[in-house]
Amino acid sequence: MLSCGIPELSDLEDLKYVYDALRPQDSDADATTYFTRLIESSLGSVATKLNFFIHNLAQMKFTGSDARPTLSFAPRTHTLKTSGRIRDVFLCRHERVFNPSKGYTYVVKVQRDNPGEVAFVQRTFEEFQELHNKLRLLFPSSLLPSFPSRFVIGRSRGEAVAERRKEELNGYIWHLIHAAPEVAECDLVYTFFHPLPRDEKAAGTSPTPKPADATWARSLGKVGGEVKLSISYKNNKLFIMVMHIRGLPPLQDGNDPDPYVKTYLLPDPQKTTKRKTKVARKTCNPTYNEMLVYDGIPRGDLEQRELRLSVLSEEGFWENILLGEVGIRLRDLDLAQEKMGWFALGSRGHGTL
């Protein structure tokens, strides 16, 4: 590497930095955990996102000045000429939705110049925000109405927040279609207010009313899949590395779950042995590489215990959904050696697997 002529790698001290960064002194389990967290931190860092943003700007610049921003949720672009002039818009109401994710959608009534031509479109707050962000790329802020703040205290999807946003978004879209013609009549605005396939599918339908106790209802779906674990015991400590899960079933509405893993050492009437991983978002095949540790448990006690592992989908306002679980009798394992492998996930009625 020293002969490659890279300025940052010009002497042995530089190479030692690279060598140490690769964690050669760590065990496989510690290194796996470390690098998984490092990847997650990098993906969520402001510096990384800024780097992506700069690359995106450069790509927009070099793909040509004729390239115009488009809306990610609209399959095609619509114009004033193809759609007809918009005369008025009004945000009628907000509705609770659970597909593709839980939150609120806002129903906008769109009236065009042609008498009797009325359409209803459904847009999320994030889609309104995308429209505004794309408009900012085309027009100076002085030509655009101010957009409602995304920041809220507490649950961002609560009913009170949705009601407040409805009023703010109503004012935003009214000022938008009454803005300067180059803004109000641009393709982004006409594409945003043009019905999508999902709007046409929902036309003429009304949401089914939920029973009063629906908020706390448990939606049971299919169970299944496999979890990969590494189980070891040393110095009165039980180490359980939750590595990967594959083949989790989708939720009843067809969406991918938000899975996390929870473990107990049974019997545990006081539930003092609960351990949990982080939540993975929208996936049936999550990777965790998290170490769950039980300290101060003698080997004799451990051999009388069962490791109960459950995989659940986090549902926020609703009760979490069981996706599968497995019971592992620790006396069946050779605790002197690491046990690594895939364990099948079933339902509680299946007993120990």
Side-chain angles (χ1 to χ4, degrees), residues 40 222 224-227 242-251 255-262 276-290 309-316 320-324 345:
E40 292 171 346
K222 297 178 181 179
E226 296 177 292
V227 57
V242 182
M243 304 177 75
H244 314 286
I245 298 178
R246 64 187 181 193
L248 286 176
L251 302 177
N255 293 313
D256 289 341
D258 293 330
Y260 69 94
V261 173
K262 181 170 63 176
K276 292 169 59 176
T277 68
K278 63 180 179 62
V279 178
R281 297 298 178 188
K282 301 302 176 189
T283 177
C284 291
N285 302 283
T287 289
Y288 297 99
N289 287 332
E290 288 193 48
L309 181 147
S310 304
V311 182
L312 303 102
S313 178
E314 185 183 63
E315 294 301 302
N320 295 340
I321 298 173
L322 178 67
L323 301 174
L345 297 167

mmCIF file of all heavy atoms in Angstrom, residues 40 222 224-227 242-251 255-262 276-290 309-316 320-324 345:
data_model
loop_
_atom_site.group_PDB
_atom_site.id
_atom_site.type_symbol
_atom_site.label_atom_id
_atom_site.label_comp_id
_atom_site.label_asym_id
_atom_site.label_seq_id
_atom_site.Cartn_x
_atom_site.Cartn_y
_atom_site.Cartn_z
ATOM 1 N N GLU A 40 -24.696 1.240 10.797
ATOM 2 C CA GLU A 40 -25.961 1.905 11.107
ATOM 3 C C GLU A 40 -25.732 3.373 11.434
ATOM 4 O O GLU A 40 -26.501 4.248 11.013
ATOM 5 C CB GLU A 40 -26.649 1.197 12.274
ATOM 6 C CG GLU A 40 -27.130 -0.196 11.941
ATOM 7 C CD GLU A 40 -27.604 -0.956 13.158
ATOM 8 O OE1 GLU A 40 -27.329 -0.514 14.292
ATOM 9 O OE2 GLU A 40 -28.235 -2.003 12.985
ATOM 10 N N LYS A 222 -49.768 -14.790 10.384
ATOM 11 C CA LYS A 222 -49.044 -16.037 10.269
ATOM 12 C C LYS A 222 -47.745 -15.940 11.070
ATOM 13 O O LYS A 222 -47.239 -14.867 11.337
ATOM 14 C CB LYS A 222 -48.729 -16.328 8.807
ATOM 15 C CG LYS A 222 -49.963 -16.529 7.936
ATOM 16 C CD LYS A 222 -49.553 -16.774 6.495
ATOM 17 C CE LYS A 222 -50.762 -16.961 5.596
ATOM 18 N NZ LYS A 222 -50.366 -17.168 4.177
ATOM 19 N N GLY A 224 -43.727 -17.801 11.445
ATOM 20 C CA GLY A 224 -42.775 -18.597 10.688
ATOM 21 C C GLY A 224 -41.447 -17.897 10.538
ATOM 22 O O GLY A 224 -41.202 -16.830 11.105
ATOM 23 N N GLY A 225 -40.555 -18.499 9.761
ATOM 24 C CA GLY A 225 -39.224 -17.961 9.554
ATOM 25 C C GLY A 225 -38.197 -18.672 10.421
ATOM 26 O O GLY A 225 -38.500 -19.628 11.153
ATOM 27 N N GLU A 226 -36.974 -18.185 10.354
ATOM 28 C CA GLU A 226 -35.870 -18.747 11.122
ATOM 29 C C GLU A 226 -35.020 -17.620 11.682
ATOM 30 O O GLU A 226 -34.906 -16.557 11.082
ATOM 31 C CB GLU A 226 -34.993 -19.640 10.243
ATOM 32 C CG GLU A 226 -35.678 -20.873 9.694
ATOM 33 C CD GLU A 226 -34.744 -21.640 8.770
ATOM 34 O OE1 GLU A 226 -34.434 -21.118 7.679
ATOM 35 O OE2 GLU A 226 -34.305 -22.747 9.154
ATOM 36 N N VAL A 227 -34.407 -17.875 12.841
ATOM 37 C CA VAL A 227 -33.519 -16.916 13.459
ATOM 38 C C VAL A 227 -32.146 -17.555 13.628
ATOM 39 O O VAL A 227 -32.037 -18.717 14.024
ATOM 40 C CB VAL A 227 -34.069 -16.422 14.817
ATOM 41 C CG1 VAL A 227 -34.320 -17.577 15.777
ATOM 42 C CG2 VAL A 227 -33.126 -15.401 15.446
ATOM 43 N N VAL A 242 -27.983 -12.265 18.660
ATOM 44 C CA VAL A 242 -29.054 -12.358 17.672
ATOM 45 C C VAL A 242 -28.483 -11.815 16.371
ATOM 46 O O VAL A 242 -28.226 -10.610 16.240
ATOM 47 C CB VAL A 242 -30.289 -11.557 18.110
ATOM 48 C CG1 VAL A 242 -31.413 -11.713 17.087
ATOM 49 C CG2 VAL A 242 -30.761 -12.011 19.481
ATOM 50 N N MET A 243 -28.291 -12.694 15.402
ATOM 51 C CA MET A 243 -27.589 -12.308 14.182
ATOM 52 C C MET A 243 -28.549 -11.909 13.069
ATOM 53 O O MET A 243 -28.647 -10.746 12.709
ATOM 54 C CB MET A 243 -26.677 -13.463 13.751
ATOM 55 C CG MET A 243 -25.702 -13.885 14.857
ATOM 56 S SD MET A 243 -24.667 -15.295 14.438
ATOM 57 C CE MET A 243 -23.502 -14.519 13.312
ATOM 58 N N HIS A 244 -29.258 -12.879 12.522
ATOM 59 C CA HIS A 244 -30.145 -12.609 11.388
ATOM 60 C C HIS A 244 -31.473 -13.334 11.584
ATOM 61 O O HIS A 244 -31.577 -14.295 12.345
ATOM 62 C CB HIS A 244 -29.530 -13.090 10.063
ATOM 63 C CG HIS A 244 -28.105 -12.713 9.877
ATOM 64 N ND1 HIS A 244 -27.704 -11.434 9.573
ATOM 65 C CD2 HIS A 244 -26.974 -13.456 9.957
ATOM 66 C CE1 HIS A 244 -26.388 -11.398 9.472
ATOM 67 N NE2 HIS A 244 -25.918 -12.615 9.702
ATOM 68 N N ILE A 245 -32.470 -12.855 10.854
ATOM 69 C CA ILE A 245 -33.754 -13.560 10.734
ATOM 70 C C ILE A 245 -34.092 -13.615 9.257
ATOM 71 O O ILE A 245 -33.863 -12.640 8.521
ATOM 72 C CB ILE A 245 -34.875 -12.858 11.521
ATOM 73 C CG1 ILE A 245 -34.545 -12.823 13.017
ATOM 74 C CG2 ILE A 245 -36.217 -13.561 11.308
ATOM 75 C CD1 ILE A 245 -35.584 -12.104 13.859
ATOM 76 N N ARG A 246 -34.623 -14.735 8.812
ATOM 77 C CA ARG A 246 -35.027 -14.847 7.412
ATOM 78 C C ARG A 246 -36.410 -15.477 7.320
ATOM 79 O O ARG A 246 -36.800 -16.290 8.152
ATOM 80 C CB ARG A 246 -34.021 -15.676 6.623
ATOM 81 C CG ARG A 246 -33.903 -17.130 7.060
ATOM 82 C CD ARG A 246 -32.756 -17.820 6.344
ATOM 83 N NE ARG A 246 -32.649 -19.238 6.743
ATOM 84 C CZ ARG A 246 -31.596 -20.000 6.457
ATOM 85 N NH1 ARG A 246 -30.569 -19.489 5.786
ATOM 86 N NH2 ARG A 246 -31.565 -21.265 6.847
ATOM 87 N N GLY A 247 -37.151 -15.055 6.305
ATOM 88 C CA GLY A 247 -38.433 -15.684 6.001
ATOM 89 C C GLY A 247 -39.567 -15.337 6.932
ATOM 90 O O GLY A 247 -40.521 -16.112 7.072
ATOM 91 N N LEU A 248 -39.529 -14.151 7.569
ATOM 92 C CA LEU A 248 -40.667 -13.749 8.387
ATOM 93 C C LEU A 248 -41.896 -13.544 7.499
ATOM 94 O O LEU A 248 -41.776 -13.074 6.368
ATOM 95 C CB LEU A 248 -40.374 -12.451 9.140
ATOM 96 C CG LEU A 248 -39.422 -12.525 10.322
ATOM 97 C CD1 LEU A 248 -39.176 -11.132 10.879
ATOM 98 C CD2 LEU A 248 -39.952 -13.445 11.413
ATOM 99 N N PRO A 249 -43.088 -13.868 7.992
ATOM 100 C CA PRO A 249 -44.287 -13.651 7.175
ATOM 101 C C PRO A 249 -44.651 -12.170 7.138
ATOM 102 O O PRO A 249 -44.423 -11.441 8.106
ATOM 103 C CB PRO A 249 -45.362 -14.457 7.932
ATOM 104 C CG PRO A 249 -44.906 -14.444 9.357
ATOM 105 C CD PRO A 249 -43.400 -14.488 9.299
ATOM 106 N N PRO A 250 -45.224 -11.696 6.035
ATOM 107 C CA PRO A 250 -45.730 -10.320 6.006
ATOM 108 C C PRO A 250 -46.946 -10.190 6.906
ATOM 109 O O PRO A 250 -47.548 -11.192 7.323
ATOM 110 C CB PRO A 250 -46.086 -10.108 4.534
ATOM 111 C CG PRO A 250 -46.335 -11.486 4.002
ATOM 112 C CD PRO A 250 -45.421 -12.406 4.764
ATOM 113 N N LEU A 251 -47.315 -8.965 7.200
ATOM 114 C CA LEU A 251 -48.496 -8.710 8.027
ATOM 115 C C LEU A 251 -49.760 -9.019 7.231
ATOM 116 O O LEU A 251 -49.724 -9.234 6.022
ATOM 117 C CB LEU A 251 -48.501 -7.257 8.495
ATOM 118 C CG LEU A 251 -47.264 -6.819 9.299
ATOM 119 C CD1 LEU A 251 -47.356 -5.342 9.642
ATOM 120 C CD2 LEU A 251 -47.112 -7.661 10.551
ATOM 121 N N ASN A 255 -48.100 -5.780 4.179
ATOM 122 C CA ASN A 255 -46.889 -4.991 4.368
ATOM 123 C C ASN A 255 -45.835 -5.780 5.139
ATOM 124 O O ASN A 255 -46.147 -6.708 5.882
ATOM 125 C CB ASN A 255 -47.212 -3.705 5.133
ATOM 126 C CG ASN A 255 -48.072 -2.763 4.320
ATOM 127 O OD1 ASN A 255 -47.799 -2.517 3.156
ATOM 128 N ND2 ASN A 255 -49.127 -2.247 4.926
ATOM 129 N N ASP A 256 -44.578 -5.371 4.979
ATOM 130 C CA ASP A 256 -43.501 -5.971 5.755
ATOM 131 C C ASP A 256 -43.588 -5.493 7.201
ATOM 132 O O ASP A 256 -43.973 -4.344 7.459
ATOM 133 C CB ASP A 256 -42.141 -5.591 5.173
ATOM 134 C CG ASP A 256 -41.879 -6.285 3.842
ATOM 135 O OD1 ASP A 256 -42.560 -7.293 3.567
ATOM 136 O OD2 ASP A 256 -41.008 -5.819 3.089
ATOM 137 N N PRO A 257 -43.198 -6.344 8.153
ATOM 138 C CA PRO A 257 -43.278 -5.961 9.568
ATOM 139 C C PRO A 257 -42.121 -5.067 9.992
ATOM 140 O O PRO A 257 -41.172 -4.844 9.233
ATOM 141 C CB PRO A 257 -43.206 -7.320 10.280
ATOM 142 C CG PRO A 257 -42.377 -8.171 9.362
ATOM 143 C CD PRO A 257 -42.743 -7.736 7.957
ATOM 144 N N ASP A 258 -42.219 -4.544 11.219
ATOM 145 C CA ASP A 258 -41.126 -3.835 11.887
ATOM 146 C C ASP A 258 -40.639 -4.738 13.016
ATOM 147 O O ASP A 258 -41.002 -4.546 14.184
ATOM 148 C CB ASP A 258 -41.600 -2.492 12.452
ATOM 149 C CG ASP A 258 -41.989 -1.504 11.373
ATOM 150 O OD1 ASP A 258 -41.407 -1.578 10.275
ATOM 151 O OD2 ASP A 258 -42.863 -0.655 11.617
ATOM 152 N N PRO A 259 -39.808 -5.740 12.714
ATOM 153 C CA PRO A 259 -39.536 -6.791 13.699
ATOM 154 C C PRO A 259 -38.449 -6.431 14.721
ATOM 155 O O PRO A 259 -37.511 -5.693 14.431
ATOM 156 C CB PRO A 259 -39.074 -7.960 12.817
ATOM 157 C CG PRO A 259 -38.453 -7.305 11.632
ATOM 158 C CD PRO A 259 -39.221 -6.030 11.401
ATOM 159 N N TYR A 260 -38.623 -6.973 15.910
ATOM 160 C CA TYR A 260 -37.581 -6.945 16.929
ATOM 161 C C TYR A 260 -37.638 -8.258 17.694
ATOM 162 O O TYR A 260 -38.613 -9.016 17.595
ATOM 163 C CB TYR A 260 -37.746 -5.749 17.876
ATOM 164 C CG TYR A 260 -38.948 -5.812 18.784
ATOM 165 C CD1 TYR A 260 -38.862 -6.325 20.084
ATOM 166 C CD2 TYR A 260 -40.194 -5.357 18.356
ATOM 167 C CE1 TYR A 260 -39.964 -6.378 20.923
ATOM 168 C CE2 TYR A 260 -41.295 -5.401 19.183
ATOM 169 C CZ TYR A 260 -41.185 -5.914 20.466
ATOM 170 O OH TYR A 260 -42.273 -5.972 21.287
ATOM 171 N N VAL A 261 -36.577 -8.549 18.436
ATOM 172 C CA VAL A 261 -36.463 -9.820 19.159
ATOM 173 C C VAL A 261 -36.516 -9.549 20.658
ATOM 174 O O VAL A 261 -35.900 -8.599 21.153
ATOM 175 C CB VAL A 261 -35.143 -10.536 18.799
ATOM 176 C CG1 VAL A 261 -34.940 -11.771 19.684
ATOM 177 C CG2 VAL A 261 -35.132 -10.923 17.325
ATOM 178 N N LYS A 262 -37.258 -10.402 21.362
ATOM 179 C CA LYS A 262 -37.362 -10.317 22.818
ATOM 180 C C LYS A 262 -37.056 -11.691 23.399
ATOM 181 O O LYS A 262 -37.519 -12.710 22.876
ATOM 182 C CB LYS A 262 -38.765 -9.862 23.224
ATOM 183 C CG LYS A 262 -38.964 -9.722 24.720
ATOM 184 C CD LYS A 262 -40.280 -9.042 25.044
ATOM 185 C CE LYS A 262 -41.479 -9.850 24.569
ATOM 186 N NZ LYS A 262 -42.758 -9.233 24.973
ATOM 187 N N LYS A 276 -34.131 -7.137 24.880
ATOM 188 C CA LYS A 276 -34.707 -6.787 23.583
ATOM 189 C C LYS A 276 -33.630 -6.256 22.660
ATOM 190 O O LYS A 276 -32.662 -5.637 23.095
ATOM 191 C CB LYS A 276 -35.799 -5.713 23.748
ATOM 192 C CG LYS A 276 -37.040 -6.170 24.468
ATOM 193 C CD LYS A 276 -37.942 -4.995 24.820
ATOM 194 C CE LYS A 276 -38.389 -4.207 23.607
ATOM 195 N NZ LYS A 276 -39.328 -3.131 23.946
ATOM 196 N N THR A 277 -33.835 -6.488 21.364
ATOM 197 C CA THR A 277 -32.994 -5.879 20.351
ATOM 198 C C THR A 277 -33.645 -4.577 19.882
ATOM 199 O O THR A 277 -34.772 -4.252 20.263
ATOM 200 C CB THR A 277 -32.811 -6.802 19.140
ATOM 201 O OG1 THR A 277 -34.071 -6.926 18.450
ATOM 202 C CG2 THR A 277 -32.315 -8.179 19.558
ATOM 203 N N LYS A 278 -32.947 -3.884 19.027
ATOM 204 C CA LYS A 278 -33.540 -2.725 18.370
ATOM 205 C C LYS A 278 -34.615 -3.200 17.387
ATOM 206 O O LYS A 278 -34.715 -4.393 17.086
ATOM 207 C CB LYS A 278 -32.471 -1.933 17.615
ATOM 208 C CG LYS A 278 -31.808 -2.719 16.492
ATOM 209 C CD LYS A 278 -30.763 -1.882 15.790
ATOM 210 C CE LYS A 278 -30.081 -2.673 14.689
ATOM 211 N NZ LYS A 278 -30.995 -3.111 13.617
ATOM 212 N N VAL A 279 -35.394 -2.273 16.875
ATOM 213 C CA VAL A 279 -36.431 -2.574 15.888
ATOM 214 C C VAL A 279 -35.864 -2.359 14.491
ATOM 215 O O VAL A 279 -35.243 -1.330 14.206
ATOM 216 C CB VAL A 279 -37.668 -1.682 16.098
ATOM 217 C CG1 VAL A 279 -38.721 -1.961 15.034
ATOM 218 C CG2 VAL A 279 -38.249 -1.902 17.495
ATOM 219 N N ALA A 280 -36.037 -3.353 13.630
ATOM 220 C CA ALA A 280 -35.696 -3.195 12.211
ATOM 221 C C ALA A 280 -36.946 -2.734 11.470
ATOM 222 O O ALA A 280 -38.054 -3.148 11.805
ATOM 223 C CB ALA A 280 -35.175 -4.509 11.636
ATOM 224 N N ARG A 281 -36.791 -1.897 10.479
ATOM 225 C CA ARG A 281 -37.941 -1.286 9.821
ATOM 226 C C ARG A 281 -38.232 -1.938 8.469
ATOM 227 O O ARG A 281 -37.351 -2.108 7.640
ATOM 228 C CB ARG A 281 -37.703 0.219 9.617
ATOM 229 C CG ARG A 281 -37.556 0.984 10.922
ATOM 230 C CD ARG A 281 -38.817 0.904 11.765
ATOM 231 N NE ARG A 281 -38.674 1.586 13.051
ATOM 232 C CZ ARG A 281 -39.573 1.531 14.021
ATOM 233 N NH1 ARG A 281 -40.685 0.830 13.857
ATOM 234 N NH2 ARG A 281 -39.372 2.171 15.147
ATOM 235 N N LYS A 282 -39.498 -2.317 8.313
ATOM 236 C CA LYS A 282 -40.060 -2.748 7.030
ATOM 237 C C LYS A 282 -39.213 -3.824 6.351
ATOM 238 O O LYS A 282 -38.687 -3.636 5.259
ATOM 239 C CB LYS A 282 -40.235 -1.547 6.100
ATOM 240 C CG LYS A 282 -41.134 -0.458 6.659
ATOM 241 C CD LYS A 282 -42.514 -0.981 6.990
ATOM 242 C CE LYS A 282 -43.388 0.083 7.650
ATOM 243 N NZ LYS A 282 -44.646 -0.497 8.158
ATOM 244 N N THR A 283 -39.082 -4.957 6.997
ATOM 245 C CA THR A 283 -38.308 -6.045 6.416
ATOM 246 C C THR A 283 -38.755 -7.385 6.972
ATOM 247 O O THR A 283 -39.152 -7.479 8.138
ATOM 248 C CB THR A 283 -36.807 -5.852 6.677
ATOM 249 O OG1 THR A 283 -36.094 -6.974 6.155
ATOM 250 C CG2 THR A 283 -36.505 -5.733 8.170
ATOM 251 N N CYS A 284 -38.689 -8.404 6.132
ATOM 252 C CA CYS A 284 -38.937 -9.782 6.555
ATOM 253 C C CYS A 284 -37.627 -10.539 6.764
ATOM 254 O O CYS A 284 -37.650 -11.716 7.134
ATOM 255 C CB CYS A 284 -39.793 -10.512 5.514
ATOM 256 S SG CYS A 284 -41.500 -9.913 5.404
ATOM 257 N N ASN A 285 -36.498 -9.873 6.525
ATOM 258 C CA ASN A 285 -35.187 -10.523 6.641
ATOM 259 C C ASN A 285 -34.211 -9.579 7.336
ATOM 260 O O ASN A 285 -33.235 -9.129 6.729
ATOM 261 C CB ASN A 285 -34.670 -10.929 5.262
ATOM 262 C CG ASN A 285 -35.623 -11.852 4.531
ATOM 263 O OD1 ASN A 285 -35.702 -13.036 4.811
ATOM 264 N ND2 ASN A 285 -36.370 -11.292 3.582
ATOM 265 N N PRO A 286 -34.439 -9.262 8.610
ATOM 266 C CA PRO A 286 -33.601 -8.268 9.288
ATOM 267 C C PRO A 286 -32.253 -8.836 9.726
ATOM 268 O O PRO A 286 -32.096 -10.031 9.948
ATOM 269 C CB PRO A 286 -34.440 -7.887 10.513
ATOM 270 C CG PRO A 286 -35.231 -9.128 10.812
ATOM 271 C CD PRO A 286 -35.543 -9.730 9.465
ATOM 272 N N THR A 287 -31.284 -7.948 9.854
ATOM 273 C CA THR A 287 -29.987 -8.243 10.465
ATOM 274 C C THR A 287 -29.851 -7.398 11.720
ATOM 275 O O THR A 287 -30.092 -6.188 11.681
ATOM 276 C CB THR A 287 -28.843 -7.939 9.491
ATOM 277 O OG1 THR A 287 -28.841 -8.910 8.444
ATOM 278 C CG2 THR A 287 -27.484 -7.994 10.200
ATOM 279 N N TYR A 288 -29.464 -8.025 12.839
ATOM 280 C CA TYR A 288 -29.310 -7.318 14.105
ATOM 281 C C TYR A 288 -27.849 -7.304 14.569
ATOM 282 O O TYR A 288 -27.296 -6.275 14.876
ATOM 283 C CB TYR A 288 -30.183 -7.957 15.190
ATOM 284 C CG TYR A 288 -31.651 -7.891 14.894
ATOM 285 C CD1 TYR A 288 -32.325 -8.986 14.348
ATOM 286 C CD2 TYR A 288 -32.380 -6.731 15.148
ATOM 287 C CE1 TYR A 288 -33.681 -8.920 14.067
ATOM 288 C CE2 TYR A 288 -33.734 -6.664 14.870
ATOM 289 C CZ TYR A 288 -34.379 -7.765 14.324
ATOM 290 O OH TYR A 288 -35.711 -7.697 14.045
ATOM 291 N N ASN A 289 -27.251 -8.491 14.683
ATOM 292 C CA ASN A 289 -25.900 -8.616 15.232
ATOM 293 C C ASN A 289 -25.797 -7.888 16.574
ATOM 294 O O ASN A 289 -24.887 -7.084 16.807
ATOM 295 C CB ASN A 289 -24.852 -8.092 14.250
ATOM 296 C CG ASN A 289 -24.647 -9.027 13.075
ATOM 297 O OD1 ASN A 289 -24.854 -10.237 13.202
ATOM 298 N ND2 ASN A 289 -24.249 -8.498 11.938
ATOM 299 N N GLU A 290 -26.743 -8.175 17.448
ATOM 300 C CA GLU A 290 -26.764 -7.597 18.789
ATOM 301 C C GLU A 290 -26.512 -8.679 19.821
ATOM 302 O O GLU A 290 -27.024 -9.794 19.708
ATOM 303 C CB GLU A 290 -28.109 -6.926 19.068
ATOM 304 C CG GLU A 290 -28.313 -5.633 18.316
ATOM 305 C CD GLU A 290 -29.495 -4.842 18.853
ATOM 306 O OE1 GLU A 290 -29.595 -4.669 20.093
ATOM 307 O OE2 GLU A 290 -30.336 -4.427 18.038
ATOM 308 N N LEU A 309 -37.439 -17.172 23.028
ATOM 309 C CA LEU A 309 -37.171 -16.074 22.104
ATOM 310 C C LEU A 309 -38.410 -15.819 21.253
ATOM 311 O O LEU A 309 -38.945 -16.747 20.637
ATOM 312 C CB LEU A 309 -35.969 -16.410 21.217
ATOM 313 C CG LEU A 309 -35.525 -15.358 20.199
ATOM 314 C CD1 LEU A 309 -34.008 -15.406 20.021
ATOM 315 C CD2 LEU A 309 -36.202 -15.543 18.843
ATOM 316 N N SER A 310 -38.849 -14.576 21.233
ATOM 317 C CA SER A 310 -40.022 -14.178 20.446
ATOM 318 C C SER A 310 -39.630 -13.091 19.459
ATOM 319 O O SER A 310 -38.813 -12.217 19.767
ATOM 320 C CB SER A 310 -41.142 -13.656 21.357
ATOM 321 O OG SER A 310 -41.502 -14.609 22.332
ATOM 322 N N VAL A 311 -40.211 -13.149 18.277
ATOM 323 C CA VAL A 311 -40.038 -12.099 17.271
ATOM 324 C C VAL A 311 -41.383 -11.413 17.109
ATOM 325 O O VAL A 311 -42.390 -12.068 16.821
ATOM 326 C CB VAL A 311 -39.554 -12.665 15.922
ATOM 327 C CG1 VAL A 311 -39.337 -11.536 14.922
ATOM 328 C CG2 VAL A 311 -38.276 -13.476 16.108
ATOM 329 N N LEU A 312 -41.410 -10.107 17.316
ATOM 330 C CA LEU A 312 -42.642 -9.341 17.250
ATOM 331 C C LEU A 312 -42.480 -8.168 16.297
ATOM 332 O O LEU A 312 -41.374 -7.698 16.043
ATOM 333 C CB LEU A 312 -43.049 -8.828 18.635
ATOM 334 C CG LEU A 312 -43.232 -9.889 19.714
ATOM 335 C CD1 LEU A 312 -42.022 -9.912 20.629
ATOM 336 C CD2 LEU A 312 -44.492 -9.626 20.522
ATOM 337 N N SER A 313 -43.596 -7.693 15.788
ATOM 338 C CA SER A 313 -43.607 -6.498 14.957
ATOM 339 C C SER A 313 -44.124 -5.336 15.795
ATOM 340 O O SER A 313 -45.204 -5.415 16.384
ATOM 341 C CB SER A 313 -44.495 -6.697 13.729
ATOM 342 O OG SER A 313 -44.544 -5.519 12.940
ATOM 343 N N GLU A 314 -43.342 -4.261 15.856
ATOM 344 C CA GLU A 314 -43.750 -3.083 16.615
ATOM 345 C C GLU A 314 -44.875 -2.365 15.879
ATOM 346 O O GLU A 314 -44.745 -2.018 14.700
ATOM 347 C CB GLU A 314 -42.567 -2.141 16.802
ATOM 348 C CG GLU A 314 -42.892 -0.949 17.676
ATOM 349 C CD GLU A 314 -41.724 -0.001 17.794
ATOM 350 O OE1 GLU A 314 -41.317 0.555 16.751
ATOM 351 O OE2 GLU A 314 -41.216 0.182 18.910
ATOM 352 N N GLU A 315 -45.965 -2.105 16.600
ATOM 353 C CA GLU A 315 -47.141 -1.540 15.950
ATOM 354 C C GLU A 315 -47.571 -0.186 16.495
ATOM 355 O O GLU A 315 -48.646 0.299 16.167
ATOM 356 C CB GLU A 315 -48.309 -2.524 16.076
ATOM 357 C CG GLU A 315 -48.093 -3.820 15.315
ATOM 358 C CD GLU A 315 -47.889 -3.589 13.833
ATOM 359 O OE1 GLU A 315 -48.781 -3.005 13.195
ATOM 360 O OE2 GLU A 315 -46.828 -3.958 13.315
ATOM 361 N N GLY A 316 -46.752 0.423 17.363
ATOM 362 C CA GLY A 316 -47.072 1.772 17.810
ATOM 363 C C GLY A 316 -48.336 1.832 18.635
ATOM 364 O O GLY A 316 -48.379 1.406 19.785
ATOM 365 N N ASN A 320 -48.414 -5.077 19.803
ATOM 366 C CA ASN A 320 -47.414 -5.670 18.915
ATOM 367 C C ASN A 320 -47.842 -7.065 18.465
ATOM 368 O O ASN A 320 -48.517 -7.797 19.196
ATOM 369 C CB ASN A 320 -46.059 -5.735 19.611
ATOM 370 C CG ASN A 320 -45.510 -4.352 19.900
ATOM 371 O OD1 ASN A 320 -45.928 -3.376 19.294
ATOM 372 N ND2 ASN A 320 -44.577 -4.260 20.833
ATOM 373 N N ILE A 321 -47.431 -7.434 17.264
ATOM 374 C CA ILE A 321 -47.876 -8.680 16.639
ATOM 375 C C ILE A 321 -46.788 -9.736 16.757
ATOM 376 O O ILE A 321 -45.628 -9.491 16.415
ATOM 377 C CB ILE A 321 -48.210 -8.448 15.150
ATOM 378 C CG1 ILE A 321 -49.360 -7.443 15.021
ATOM 379 C CG2 ILE A 321 -48.573 -9.753 14.460
ATOM 380 C CD1 ILE A 321 -49.633 -7.021 13.589
ATOM 381 N N LEU A 322 -47.161 -10.917 17.223
ATOM 382 C CA LEU A 322 -46.231 -12.033 17.311
ATOM 383 C C LEU A 322 -46.006 -12.615 15.924
ATOM 384 O O LEU A 322 -46.932 -13.036 15.242
ATOM 385 C CB LEU A 322 -46.778 -13.115 18.249
ATOM 386 C CG LEU A 322 -45.918 -14.367 18.388
ATOM 387 C CD1 LEU A 322 -44.608 -14.038 19.085
ATOM 388 C CD2 LEU A 322 -46.669 -15.451 19.152
ATOM 389 N N LEU A 323 -44.740 -12.666 15.512
ATOM 390 C CA LEU A 323 -44.375 -13.217 14.203
ATOM 391 C C LEU A 323 -43.825 -14.629 14.301
ATOM 392 O O LEU A 323 -43.769 -15.339 13.292
ATOM 393 C CB LEU A 323 -43.338 -12.315 13.531
ATOM 394 C CG LEU A 323 -43.758 -10.859 13.298
ATOM 395 C CD1 LEU A 323 -42.591 -10.055 12.758
ATOM 396 C CD2 LEU A 323 -44.949 -10.776 12.359
ATOM 397 N N GLY A 324 -43.413 -15.033 15.489
ATOM 398 C CA GLY A 324 -42.880 -16.373 15.683
ATOM 399 C C GLY A 324 -42.035 -16.426 16.928
ATOM 400 O O GLY A 324 -41.542 -15.398 17.411
ATOM 401 N N LEU A 345 -38.820 -20.744 13.775
ATOM 402 C CA LEU A 345 -39.787 -19.971 14.566
ATOM 403 C C LEU A 345 -41.179 -20.545 14.340
ATOM 404 O O LEU A 345 -41.603 -20.741 13.207
ATOM 405 C CB LEU A 345 -39.759 -18.503 14.156
ATOM 406 C CG LEU A 345 -38.434 -17.760 14.409
ATOM 407 C CD1 LEU A 345 -38.439 -16.421 13.680
ATOM 408 C CD2 LEU A 345 -38.211 -17.568 15.892
#
